[in-house]
Amino acid sequence: MRDAEQTRQNILTVAADEIHQHGFKATSLSVILNRCEISKGALYHHFSSKIELGYAVFEEIYTPMFLNVWHTPLDVDDPIEGLCDFLTAMTEDMSCSEVVCGCPLNNLCEEMANVDEGFRLRILSMQEQLNQLITDAFERVSDDLRTDLAGSQVGYFIVATLNGATSLSKSSRNKVLFQQVIAELCLYIRALKK
Amino acid sequence: MRDAEQTRQNILTVAADEIHQHGFKATSLSVILNRCEISKGALYHHFSSKIELGYAVFEEIYTPMFLNVWHTPLDVDDPIEGLCDFLTAMTEDMSCSEVVCGCPLNNLCEEMANVDEGFRLRILSMQEQLNQLITDAFERVSDDLRTDLAGSQVGYFIVATLNGATSLSKSSRNKVLFQQVIAELCLYIRALKK
DNA sequence: CTTGCAACATACCGATCGGTTGGTTATTAT
DNA sequence: ATAATAACCAACCGATCGGTATGTTGCAAG
């Protein structure tokens, strides 16, 4: 037909961008409709409600994006250096929209985790997967690491600090504070080695 | 008259609670009016707009609360231990509303910093003051600390991690992840000593 | 060629939002 | 006592929200 799948993907992409920019609640369906140049009937043909659209964005856009982004620096011989290089590169490559809008996962966590159970569980699962990626990578090279480390605790610590760093860049509207926190985080990560 | 100041304070207190629970945008003026048992005219007699009410809540409720909370653990002989004790106590004393609703400052930062300049500057100022409190306290005992530390970088790192930790507790709906991150943060903080 | 259904479009709905208007009540100064 | 004004109330406003009911279009199978 008129390529229903293309329409659906277009909605998801635009919705992902709007949610990233304005949060879920403040995202207006009518704005999505305008940007996609479709009618409300079209949107509700593909998604049964706003929140179902939100779930689809999370699962089909954000989740694969995140897993892909984090796999790359951790799937190397030295995940410690891989992670530090990755984080440092982030401070340099960070686009304006990332400085201002923050991390989609963290944003949704702040906004929706305490309001909607469906979002909360999806976010929690994503955070656990992220933590697993880190702990698995560190476990692989555990011979090079200190023996007093508490596995998953370290992983969550890194994730938490990174989230807090993006938060700081939002209020300062520049990368400086973000860079400082990441620099300190890299010091911490490298100190995990023996 | 009918104690205008009392009315004003009542509005501020209720608004602070609503904003903490639901965020600024999702906070409904009509809910505040119902809880305060006043009319819309009364509210608009004291505050010219919703956002001005928000600013007032930030300045008159959140700011003094924060400064007070952070001064206590840092104004002691050993701010390193004071801070660690404070953070550890947080993990134990944390009320349900704090687990679920997070930190008011961090919440507003996530929600409003990239949307409203007035909020952004107030939040940034608060974060800078917080960082200053920490760096001043650490500076006082710099003889006991490592010599390779980058002053404000450490302060922002601590603030960022704490914010990230509250974020994790939101999605997990319990204290465990929060406690893990704080435990690791305390390890980091104590390692600042010589 | 037609029938059927997926893929859309249009118009409308009730609810709620922040904000305004015009008036009333209470307190204070003269 | 009265005038002035601060403090407050009730009713209403336009705009926007997510969602729905009904109609139209296009493609594919029979």
Side-chain angles (χ1 to χ4, degrees), chain B:
Chain B
M1 307 217 167
R2 305 95 147 189
D3 206 346
E5 190 52 32
Q6 172 64 37
T7 303
R8 195 187 129 91
Q9 285 302 321
N10 193 217
I11 295 174
L12 284 174
T13 305
V14 169
D17 182 53
E18 287 291 325
I19 292 173
H20 184 205
Q21 281 191 53
H22 308 110
F24 178 76
K25 290 183 243 175
T27 285
S28 165
L29 294 185
S30 61
V31 170
I32 295 176
L33 303 182
N34 286 336
R35 284 186 57 183
C36 291
E37 294 180 317
I38 59 171
S39 70
K40 194 164 267 193
L43 192 149
Y44 273 87
H45 174 75
H46 289 284
F47 304 96
S48 63
S49 67
K50 186 189 181 186
I51 203 141
E52 287 296 331
L53 170 60
Y55 295 161
V57 166
F58 193 95
E59 290 171 358
E60 300 178 41
I61 306 284
Y62 292 153
T63 297
M65 191 188 77
F66 260 84
L67 291 178
N68 179 56
V69 163
W70 281 85
H71 253 121
T72 313
L74 291 170
D75 283 358
V76 294
D77 284 345
D78 186 348
I80 296 283
E81 279 309 311
L83 193 53
C84 287
D85 291 348
F86 167 65
L87 293 173
T88 307
M90 260 185 77
T91 67
E92 290 161 7
D93 304 342
M94 218 176 182
S95 71
C96 178
S97 93
E98 283 166 332
V99 171
V100 173
C101 299
C103 154
L105 177 59
N106 190 42
N107 290 354
L108 279 176
C109 178
E110 290 290 343
E111 183 190 6
M112 299 303 294
N114 58 352
V115 170
D116 180 83
E117 194 70 0
F119 265 122
R120 205 202 106 220
L121 294 174
R122 285 169 173 83
I123 292 164
L124 182 57
S125 162
M126 183 80 256
Q127 287 168 336
E128 285 168 346
Q129 287 180 63
L130 223 60
N131 183 67
Q132 198 63 47
L133 282 182
I134 297 175
T135 51
D136 284 353
F138 285 10
E139 183 66 28
R140 261 179 35 229
V141 294
S142 60
D143 289 348
D144 302 332
L145 303 183
R146 279 157 43 201
T147 55
D148 62 327
L149 298 180
S152 85
Q153 180 167 306
V154 171
Y156 281 122
F157 181 79
I158 293 172
V159 172
T161 304
L162 181 58
N163 280 342
T166 68
S167 196
L168 283 179
S169 77
K170 272 192 185 180
S171 59
S172 59
R173 265 198 189 281
N174 65 53
K175 304 181 182 179
V176 178
L177 296 190
F178 183 79
Q179 285 170 331
Q180 285 191 26
V181 174
I182 295 302
E184 193 67 26
L185 180 57
C186 287
L187 288 178
Y188 162 85
I189 292 176
R190 290 202 170 95
L192 296 174
K193 284 188 183 179
K194 267 177 186 169

Side-chain angles (χ1 to χ4, degrees), chain A residues 137-152:
Chain A
F138 285 9
E139 183 65 28
R140 261 178 36 228
V141 294
S142 59
D143 289 347
D144 303 331
L145 303 183
R146 280 157 40 202
T147 55
D148 61 328
L149 298 180
S152 84

